[in-house]
Amino acid sequence: MNRADRQTVHGKFMLGLAAGAAILAIGGCGRPGGTEDHPNFSGTWAPNRPVVSTETNIVSAGAGTSVEWAPMSKGAPETRKLPTDEELRQSTLDYTDNVEKLAVLDDDARLANRNTKPPPSLTPTGLVAHTEINNGDYIKDYNERCLPGNAVGGISGASMQIAQNGNLIIIANESGIPRVIYLDERTDADTFPNVRGYSIGKWEGKELVVTTTKIAGKFIPRGLRDGWPMSENIVLTERYALSADGKTLTVKRYFDDPAYYTERFGMMTYYGKQEPGDLLITQCIESLSDQPFISVAEDLNAKRGRK
């Protein structure tokens, strides 16, 4: 993708945000974003692990922010262990090492050096789909065209801004795909599939439960050049919960795709409330995508005041 194409993509994203803001203003009809019974998630959020002191019971910042996708037979997300600082460091080094190795290989060698191990709990149909998307150029072409990740694989772990008003919530994240969550009990019957899907939310006490359907795409990104298969009937369920002090947002995510998987998968991410500011949109930005991964990560953390 050339610079003009990337600028076009970025322009479309900014138009999407502007349209979303207009929709939010109309849909809210002047009502406040939260009520006495329902929390307000509005604000800027970055992945940030809460660490609770046994002495003060105060939540403070930490490292590892997400429990990654795994079958529910491995345990609910909240029961699984967050990665340690050393595990995160090693994962980053492994990723960077893989980038450097792939950079000097031709296309055929890159294909041969990918990690295409199938995920657990695949159905026979799912295994066929996994083979089809990983044993050819599909994912490579997708990435080189700088197409966005979908609602299942392209949103977890990214910083985000949430605007909440009345029966609408809009979420913009660093991957460049804004989402609209409708809270007015509508259905998805007359909608078309798209990468962000169609999201309908409802309150269960102080927890927001979001169901997303009509998600376009053939795979869930899982690294540089591989992915897990997903069918057109995949369903993403998310549960958003705000801490008592309003500083930590916990998001549990689950996907169900019976055509390709024999069981539900789950993951969880902790987000910390940030000072108001702009997101660093990384989708198709040439100055970022051309840098080594570690330097990008260091720049991001420096901007956020994190090590």
Side-chain angles (χ1 to χ4, degrees), residues 111-158:
L111 287 174
N113 278 272
R114 289 183 304 172
N115 176 20
T116 57
K117 181 180 178 181
S121 305
L122 280 179
T123 65
T125 303
L127 181 59
V128 171
H130 176 84
T131 302
E132 288 178 349
I133 64 172
N134 283 284
N135 287 2
D137 290 336
Y138 179 81
I139 295 179
K140 170 179 174 289
D141 292 343
Y142 193 99
N143 290 335
E144 289 185 352
R145 291 167 61 194
C146 211
L147 298 175
N150 55 55
V152 183
I155 59 175
S156 56

Side-chain angles (χ1 to χ4, degrees), residues 44-85:
T44 302
W45 300 90
N48 201 10
R49 181 178 68 188
V51 179
V52 181
S53 168
T54 56
E55 297 179 357
T56 63
N57 202 36
I58 295 176
V59 176
S60 59
T65 61
S66 292
V67 175
E68 296 299 327
W69 287 116
M72 292 297 286
S73 59
K74 300 291 186 181
E78 63 270 22
T79 67
R80 290 189 275 121
K81 181 183 175 184
L82 284 166
T84 64
D85 292 355

